[in-house]
Amino acid sequence: MSCGLVDSDVRWHDDRFAVLWIDMPSTAHLAYKMDRNASAHVVEACVFAVASNARYVTLKRVASGGPAEIGYFIVDKRAYVPDGRKQDGVQGPLAKPAFDALQQRLALPVPRDVMPERMCRPA
């Protein structure tokens, strides 16, 4: 049963990839739009920074359920397939030093804030 008051927002998009949230900003995740009405989760909440180029989507996420640590993710657009199994083309979570090394080697885009990081933290 629903109260009928669903709030949501798309914070960023690039072709079929989008950072969106439903109900609360802390649920912001990277999704892959399969059609007008369906999408697959690529990286779970809470995504607060993202960027892309022709080949890659990069993002920063605050993990929930444990220590609020920032993890970096890299999605290879050419390799990602939303099939529900192990997600080929998705690397992460990576620590900042590992991401920085890959960023230099692969010329990855630098994630930019799409919402304040504090929106991912518990009150």
Side-chain angles (χ1 to χ4, degrees):
M1 187 166 193
S2 172
C3 66
L5 296 175
V6 176
D7 196 9
S8 65
D9 191 15
V10 175
R11 303 302 301 202
W12 171 92
H13 69 88
D14 175 9
D15 192 30
R16 297 185 132 198
F17 291 93
V19 172
L20 56 97
W21 59 264
I22 299 171
D23 292 332
M24 298 176 4
S26 61
T27 66
H29 61 280
L30 181 67
Y32 179 85
K33 296 183 219 169
M34 296 186 295
D35 61 37
R36 274 184 79 179
N37 300 313
S39 64
H41 278 65
V42 180
V43 176
E44 298 297 328
C46 179
V47 174
F48 68 93
V50 65
S52 65
N53 62 20
R55 172 110 189 236
Y56 298 102
V57 175
T58 60
L59 59 93
K60 295 193 313 187
R61 177 193 86 173
V62 175
S64 62
E69 294 183 12
I70 294 174
Y72 293 76
F73 288 78
I74 302 166
V75 180
D76 184 334
K77 293 177 181 179
R78 296 181 195 170
Y80 176 74
V81 177
D83 63 5
R85 296 182 304 214
K86 179 184 177 290
Q87 293 180 346
D88 292 332
V90 179
Q91 294 183 59
L94 302 168
K96 184 168 177 29
F99 176 80
D100 288 345
L102 287 170
Q103 194 276 330
Q104 291 293 323
R105 189 167 55 99
L106 301 174
L108 298 171
V110 177
R112 306 267 183 233
D113 288 358
V114 294
M115 67 181 199
E117 177 188 342
R118 67 180 161 71
M119 301 295 285
C120 293
R121 307 278 182 183

